Amino acid sequence: MIYIDIIILTLLAVTAVTVARIRDLWAAVMFTGIYSFLGASWMLLLDAPDVAFTEAAVGAGISTVLLLVTLALTSKTEKTSVSVPIVPLLVVIGTGAALIYGTLDMPHFGDPDAPVHTHPNPGFVERSQPDMHGLPNVVTAVLASYRGYDTLGETAVIFTAGIGVLLILRREKTSTEADDSTTEGTS
Amino acid sequence: MNSFPIVRIVSKILIPYILLFGLYVQFHGDFGPGGGFQAGVILASALILYGLVFGIPAAKAVAPPWIVEKFIALGVLVYAGTGVATMLLGGNFLDYDVLEHHFLTEITVGGQTLHMLPSGQHLGIFLVEVGVGITVTAVMLMIFYCFAGRETSSE
């Protein structure tokens, strides 16, 4: 079981370095898709299938397509910079060292006494079955019912983001596109 | 990409199942992993795949932009409307317990209890997840239309 963890984390690191080093942007976009799939697999190993779902669908699916469409509008190769980036390197090393130092204070992986398992309220797990009349998915119960306000806010954020993209990118004349046919199957 | 037969045929075979899987994730989200956000992205990705393979005009014929635009707001309205409905029924905002209806909730057939209509909490979660799904699908699709609809500078 530990081997698959090591394999996936190693592949994640290799993919990340590859994305940073590769100059062919088309290949880099493909590698970000691979990175997302590996991230989704890693989330699944951590027993977080909801997050894995989102990562696979958004990271590997939608954002890869959007990046590819963007490449079609711009250029497929990255300009090589001539200067040696010393200051960014120092910033990255400093930030990385601070982050690794920060992990020293964190509880061990899977520690039942970790704050995340004791602090918010384990009662959510215990109460959700009677509260929700037997809905088995505690994640959905917390997201949509106990924390309904937050999810409404998140939906409003997505709404706002969509409106923002529309306002910036949409062309003015959409005369030929008012093509009335069957409605889409969204709901 | 319409000229590649393998891509075209495989997409044609896959798209119905992607849509079906999206609906499953949407409406089974309270029992298994998933929910409105994931389902919305999956549904949008099916339509985006259709647009990539068969061209943006074909995708716009299936999901016209002027309808998708309305759906962006409709999802938030469904979500917030559920909250307003619970307030009108006498509860707090998004307090799904007041949606409890005691109407065909369960019937007994041959000694087995079957759940017909969902309980209040279930109904509330169902409604807000539908709202999230509608908004996410529409936003993802609209962003794709905006990006892909622009003039390409180079091929």
Side-chain angles (χ1 to χ4, degrees):
Chain A
M1 197 56 207
I2 190 85
Y3 297 113
I4 189 79
D5 292 357
I6 293 171
I7 290 170
I8 285 187
L9 287 179
T10 311
L11 283 174
L12 269 176
V14 169
T15 316
V17 173
T18 311
V19 170
R21 290 197 59 82
I22 206 159
R23 291 290 166 213
D24 184 354
L25 290 179
W26 199 84
V29 169
M30 286 297 137
F31 272 106
T32 57
I34 293 172
Y35 185 88
S36 290
F37 265 123
L38 288 169
S41 313
W42 173 240
M43 288 299 168
L44 206 56
L45 283 176
L46 293 176
D47 285 337
D50 290 88
V51 187
F53 238 126
T54 314
E55 180 67 37
V58 177
I62 299 281
S63 54
T64 305
V65 169
L66 286 184
L67 285 171
L68 283 180
V69 174
T70 312
L71 282 192
L73 294 175
T74 56
S75 162
K76 278 182 187 168
T77 48
E78 185 182 351
K79 279 182 197 153
T80 49
S81 66
V82 284
S83 63
V84 183
I86 290 294
V87 176
L89 181 67
L90 291 178
V91 170
V92 166
I93 288 176
T95 313
L99 286 174
I100 290 172
Y101 177 71
T103 62
L104 297 178
D105 278 345
M106 287 178 72
H108 287 292
F109 175 66
D111 185 1
D113 296 328
V116 68
H117 295 134
T118 58
H119 182 60
N121 192 352
F124 277 133
V125 179
E126 291 153 13
R127 287 204 324 254
S128 89
Q129 291 296 311
D131 276 3
M132 299 296 140
H133 304 279
L135 280 188
N137 191 344
V138 184
V139 176
T140 300
V142 172
L143 267 179
S145 186
Y146 292 119
R147 292 279 181 261
Y149 287 115
D150 295 4
T151 310
L152 176 59
E154 286 167 17
T155 313
V157 166
I158 296 169
F159 170 77
T160 316
I163 296 295
V165 171
L166 266 183
L167 285 176
I168 294 171
L169 288 185
R170 190 171 61 173
R171 289 169 301 166
E172 289 303 314
K173 50 181 188 301
T174 53
S175 55
T176 58
E177 291 159 3
D179 188 9
D180 193 8
S181 64
T182 55
T183 52
E184 61 173 325
T186 41
S187 56
Chain B
M1 241 185 273
N2 204 1
S3 51
F4 298 111
I6 293 177
V7 173
R8 199 174 68 237
I9 300 295
V10 169
S11 304
K12 265 188 182 170
I13 294 172
L14 274 182
I15 286 172
Y17 292 101
I18 299 175
L19 288 171
L20 201 60
F21 183 61
L23 291 174
Y24 168 78
V25 169
Q26 168 80 56
F27 296 120
H28 204 256
D30 20 9
F31 296 97
F37 186 81
Q38 290 90 336
V41 177
I42 291 170
L43 287 175
S45 68
L47 289 166
I48 289 174
L49 175 64
Y50 187 74
L52 283 179
V53 175
F54 298 98
I56 307 297
K60 284 185 175 174
V62 175
W66 65 274
I67 289 182
V68 177
E69 251 173 49
K70 308 290 183 295
F71 272 60
I72 294 178
L74 178 70
V76 184
L77 270 180
V78 167
Y79 199 134
T82 308
V84 173
T86 58
M87 283 168 78
L88 291 178
L89 287 170
N92 292 327
F93 188 67
L94 292 175
D95 175 13
Y96 309 138
D97 279 332
V98 296
L99 295 173
E100 195 73 53
H101 35 68
H102 306 295
F103 172 68
L104 272 185
T105 39
E106 49 190 49
I107 57 171
T108 311
V109 179
Q112 270 191 323
T113 305
L114 299 174
H115 293 274
M116 296 298 285
L117 289 175
S119 64
Q121 285 287 341
H122 190 168
L123 185 61
I125 290 175
F126 175 87
L127 286 173
V128 302
E129 293 281 13
V130 166
V132 174
I134 291 174
T135 290
V136 171
T137 309
V139 166
M140 294 297 168
L141 205 56
M142 210 61 220
I143 291 177
F144 172 70
Y145 282 163
C146 285
F147 270 83
R150 290 166 75 87
E151 303 295 324
T152 52
S153 59
S154 61
E155 190 46 50

